[in-house]
Amino acid sequence: MHATAGPAPDQAAAPVPYRQIRAAHTAGTVTVYQAYAPSLGLPAARDGRFPPAWKRERMTWIKPSFLWMMYRCGWATKTDQETVLAVEITREGFDDALRRACLSHYEPRTHRDREAWQEAVRRSPVRVQWDPERDLRLNPLPHRSLQLGLSGPASRAYADEWTVSIRDVTPLAAEIRALVQAGDLGAARALLPVETPYPAGMLEHLGA
């Protein structure tokens, strides 16, 4: 069962924690976004799984924020990012990745010392970055959105074990972009996937 689109709260106006995971999720799944060239993205959406051409040995970054994905891919206009995928994965896999993750950079307030952070990086196949969330015009907001980088066994598990479904949401991106360009932000906001706080538990190791 997929989370349905509908009115989303005005993220710019609501008090939102500085670092918080917000996502479309169900009791068993969470939706993340990626953008690829059509040669890879279209077969993935057609078959509901990543094709052999998807390089499982590389680090791949997944994003629960639809608007952050729109910022990253330029509303699906950037080269090799013309196909936007909504990838529904198991919460079990997502939660496991969060537990194993470490920040991609050293933070004195989060890590005991630089050596402890370096050891965490060596041990973990998962990285976390907190990037400014975006509004409908893709301007940065004062709170952060999660990016989760998966490498090695985590990348392979994402592609071959965690993935429940893959949908091509490029037409949705184009429709929302057209409404934003026309100045109809209310209609654009009503089409956004509903992203609510994700119950990830304590994330002190990720500075949240």
Side-chain angles (χ1 to χ4, degrees):
M1 177 180 178
H2 299 298
T4 57
D10 187 338
Q11 296 182 39
V16 178
Y18 181 64
R19 287 177 172 176
Q20 180 191 59
I21 301 173
R22 294 168 300 279
H25 56 275
T26 69
T29 65
V30 57
T31 297
V32 297
Y33 299 94
Q34 296 190 290
Y36 292 102
S39 60
L40 196 153
L42 293 178
R46 180 194 65 217
D47 299 334
R49 69 185 306 274
F50 289 103
W54 193 89
K55 298 189 181 304
R56 285 151 172 81
E57 68 274 13
R58 291 185 181 176
M59 176 166 278
T60 189
W61 289 89
I62 59 177
K63 307 153 188 74
S65 167
F66 179 84
L67 285 176
W68 203 96
M69 185 71 259
M70 295 304 100
Y71 165 73
R72 179 67 181 84
C73 71
W75 295 103
T77 64
K78 293 184 179 179
T79 302
D80 292 335
Q81 298 186 61
E82 300 94 341
T83 303
V84 181
L85 301 178
V87 184
E88 192 177 23
I89 64 176
T90 65
R91 284 178 57 165
E92 181 180 8
F94 187 68
D95 292 345
D96 180 62
L98 290 175
R99 283 191 296 268
R100 300 165 65 190
C102 65
L103 290 176
S104 61
H105 60 281
Y106 170 64
E107 280 190 355
R109 70 182 183 88
T110 301
H111 305 106
R112 184 177 68 253
D113 51 40
R114 187 172 294 274
E115 289 70 27
W117 168 71
Q118 291 172 335
E119 177 60 25
V121 169
R122 281 192 292 269
R123 290 197 319 266
S124 176
V126 185
R127 304 283 181 273
V128 160
Q129 293 182 185
W130 295 100
D131 297 297
E133 182 61 282
R134 302 284 159 166
D135 65 14
L136 276 166
R137 298 192 186 278
L138 305 186
N139 296 315
L141 293 171
H143 50 274
R144 299 284 168 145
S145 179
L146 178 84
Q147 268 205 90
L148 197 62
L150 309 171
S151 66
S155 177
R156 292 189 292 273
Y158 165 69
D160 298 325
E161 299 172 22
W162 304 347
T163 296
V164 174
S165 71
I166 303 177
R167 292 174 290 127
D168 181 356
V169 292
T170 314
L172 175 64
E175 186 176 4
I176 294 174
R177 183 191 187 203
L179 289 168
V180 171
Q181 291 177 328
D184 194 346
L185 297 186
R189 187 174 292 109
L191 292 178
L192 288 175
V194 177
E195 296 169 3
T196 56
Y198 182 78
M202 304 301 291
L203 296 175
E204 286 113 335
H205 66 298
L206 301 177

